[in-house]
Structures are given as structure tokens and as C-alpha cells.
Amino acid sequence: MPLPAFAGSDHRIKLLQGSQEFFPALIAELDGAQRDVQFETYIFSTMGEGASVAAALERAARRGVRVRMVVDGVGTGRIAEPWGTRLVQAGVQLRVYSPLGPLGLLLPSRWRRLHRKLCVVDARVLFCGGINVLDDFEDPYRGRLEAPRLDFAVQVQGSMVAYACAVMDLLWLRMQAVHEVRRRQLAHALQDWRAAQALHRLRARTPRQGRGVRAALLLRDNLRLRTRIERSYRRAIAQAREEIIIANAYFIPGGKLRRALVLAAERGVRVHLLLQGRYEYFMQYHAARPVYGALLAAGVHIHEYAPSFLHAKVAVVDAEGARPWATVGSSNLDPLSLLLAREANVMVRDAEFARILRARLMQAIDGCEPLAAQTYANRPWHERVLDRIAHVLMRVALWVTGKDY
């Protein structure tokens, strides 16, 4: 049985926007760490301010804190020098999730990535969201950006943190067991595997009923937690009565999620989508656009973010209503996130948090021109051709993986 989703009402949660808010909060906790740091990220870049996070991890390890760090084999691969060597020499225990072999991404099994961004310090505080260790003003392919990318994370204290610790320990022990098998250290591998199995049977402690914020940590993996994040979105959309705001970098929803949004708009709910307005990647940019037509026809408001790159994966529903709901996490609403990658989202039911997130999103939306249905219908023919090619390629890739979306 998998680790269950965790929910409780004793949490303190702070919204962090961009690396400019996230990095100082993270570094402060790393510099205060006394025993243990667990760290997972998709991209670990030491460009710009990313080096300050690397330096904080190095300082923690040098003063005797156990630092376990997992980076993705595609998003990061090998950490750029000299930081790769400096971190290991300081005592950081570093693992690369699913390194690319000689065939790289030609193997569909390599499409399953570690995309979640989690950090737990001293089993006391959790960071979760969409923000990589990547300076908001730096782009690995385009250099210095004129404006920071838009992204969010949360800083959490409460009983959810113990569950996050168990989740991260479970992945570490499984990776460690695989590492030992490759080194033919079978006795050590068996020991690690048994420890992983013990965590696999763990149940989160009984949720505390306190005076804090009601929140849950939801995961997506390729075993038993395949649809939990998507089902949470669909449930919140179905229960919406006043307003839905979704900001998502790579928005290619499946049929069920699209229908949920259309039905919400048709029953009078205000639906605002803040989506990527800048060209970043061919597939993500062009494969998203064929789904816009049905949404616009139903009355959904689509705003394409253009000041910089949009990287957020957040949503807020009925912030001013009786049952406010919000989420901040790593999961895009596209096939890679919802069908293949390991993801983590924090779901929050709290009026104050929902209002704060809504205000940040509305500020971003106010700076965007809404996409008119007529403008979408009259886009140039070559864009429509590229949109269709990308959509077909996506369907072929899903067929190769055997996934139904």
C-alpha cells in the first residue's frame, strides 16, 4: 500500500512568490538547520542567486548536518562545477534520479521524471511548490531575463511535515537500494530495501485538529498515486460556485478536466486561466492551443502571461466563498505531470491564504490582455498547422507510453 495523502488542521502556511521570496526563506532555514536536510528538485542551477542556495547547503553539511539531496537526471543531470565537487566534499549526499543512459529520452521509460520540489529541514519545516533552484532572472537557454518568471511555493509548519519526511525517506532508500545493487552490494541493498518497505507500510499520524490552517500534501507517482492531484482539481472545480482562477505554465488538460471547466463556466462560475504567453518549448506552447477553442466558446477567460515566463502551477477557487480552496505545487496540467512525473502539491482550505493567492494572481492577470475568441479563431494558418502537428505528436507519445488521456 502507498503512503496515504496527509491532511490536518494544525498548519501554518506562508505563500512565497518567486526565487526573490523563496530563496531567502529557504536559506534562513538551511542556515538554522541542526540535524537534517532533505532536498529534492528538478533543476538545480548555480547561475545567479542559485549559487546562494548551493552555498547554504554546503555550510549546513560542513557543520555536521546530514544533507540528502536528489536532483533529476534530465532537469539537472550533473551539477555544474565547481559546485558539484564542493557539495560532495562538504559532505552532501547527492543522488541523481533516473540518469539518462546512452539512448537518453529515446526510451519512453526515461520520460518518468522527478519533477517535485520539496525541502524539509529538521523535520520541522517544509517547502513545496513549483520553484526550482534557478534564479528568476536567469534562463539556461536565453540568458538574462528582463523580468522575473512568475512562480510560487509555500513554507509549511505542522503535522504535514512528518509525512513529507517519510515520503522523501522512502524515495531516498529506494534509490539507495538500486545504487547498492549496481555496485553488487547485495546485503546493503537488502537492508535499504527492507527499510523502504517499512516506510511503505507507514501511515501518517492522526491529523491534528488545531487552530491552524487545514491543508494536505498530495503526491503523484507511477504506482498507486497516479490521479490524486488531478482528482483534487476536478473535485474543486465541480464544487466551485463563484470563481476559479488557474495559473499553469504548461496547460494541456485531458478530457475530464476540460469538461469540468466548461461545465463550471456554463453554470455561471467565473473561470480565469492564466497561461503561458511566451514561446518557450515547441510542444508545450503549440500543443496547448487546440484546447482553447472549446474553453473560449464556453465563456472561459484566457489570459496569456507575457511580461516574462510563466512557471506557476497554482489555483484558487471561491476565495470569497464559504469553501475556499487553493493549491500550490509542482504539477502542471499536462500529460507529463499528470501521467508520468513524480509531483507534489499542497492543497489549502483557508480563506486568508486563498485571498492572498487570489490577489497575486489577479495582479498578474490585470497586466495581460484577455484572449478574444475571434482573435484565436483568426490566428495565422501557419500557427494552426504547428498547433495541430504538436497535438498529433503529443497523442503519438501518449500512445507509445500506453497512456489514456
Side-chain angles (χ1 to χ4, degrees), residues 169-185:
D169 276 341
L170 177 59
L171 178 62
W172 179 269
L173 288 168
R174 284 175 169 169
M175 292 180 66
Q176 186 71 10
V178 171
H179 177 70
E180 297 293 354
V181 167
R182 289 173 177 167
R183 295 176 56 199
R184 299 186 180 181
Q185 302 290 327

Side-chain angles (χ1 to χ4, degrees), residues 215-276:
L217 177 63
L218 300 189
L219 306 174
R220 199 230 151 257
D221 62 25
N222 292 295
L223 297 173
R224 296 289 297 278
L225 304 178
R226 297 178 182 178
T227 62
R228 185 159 281 160
I229 291 176
E230 182 182 2
R231 283 191 287 113
S232 179
Y233 264 96
R234 296 206 312 265
R235 187 179 303 113
I237 292 168
Q239 294 174 349
R241 294 295 176 265
E242 299 174 5
E243 182 182 65
I244 298 167
I245 304 175
I246 297 175
N248 211 261
Y250 309 130
F251 183 80
I252 313 174
K256 291 180 179 179
L257 191 52
R258 289 201 306 271
R259 286 192 293 273
L261 289 168
V262 167
L263 289 173
E266 289 178 344
R267 67 175 183 266
V269 177
R270 300 186 304 277
V271 181
H272 293 275
L273 303 180
L274 180 62
L275 307 179
Q276 188 74 270

Side-chain angles (χ1 to χ4, degrees), residues 111 124 139 347 350 391 400:
W111 300 352
R124 180 183 55 81
D139 186 275
M347 309 295 180
D350 178 73
H391 194 72
V400 169

Side-chain angles (χ1 to χ4, degrees), residues 303-319:
H303 313 266
E304 294 188 306
Y305 189 77
S308 186
F309 289 110
L310 174 71
H311 197 256
K313 305 99 167 55
V314 303
V316 58
V317 174
D318 290 348

Side-chain angles (χ1 to χ4, degrees), residues 354-367:
R355 285 194 291 266
I356 292 172
L357 178 57
R358 181 187 184 277
R360 301 282 185 101
L361 294 179
M362 289 307 300
Q363 183 179 19
I365 286 173
D366 288 343

Side-chain angles (χ1 to χ4, degrees), residues 14-15 29-30 48-49 57 78 108 124 176 180 253 259 371:
K14 181 179 181 181
L15 181 68
E29 292 296 338
L30 293 175
E49 289 302 312
L57 290 165
R78 296 185 63 180
R124 180 183 55 81
Q176 186 71 10
E180 297 293 354
R259 286 192 293 273
L371 177 63

Side-chain angles (χ1 to χ4, degrees), residues 324-340:
W325 177 94
T327 183
V328 177
S330 65
S331 182
N332 288 297
L333 299 177
D334 74 342
L336 286 176
S337 280
L338 296 180
L339 297 178
L340 296 171

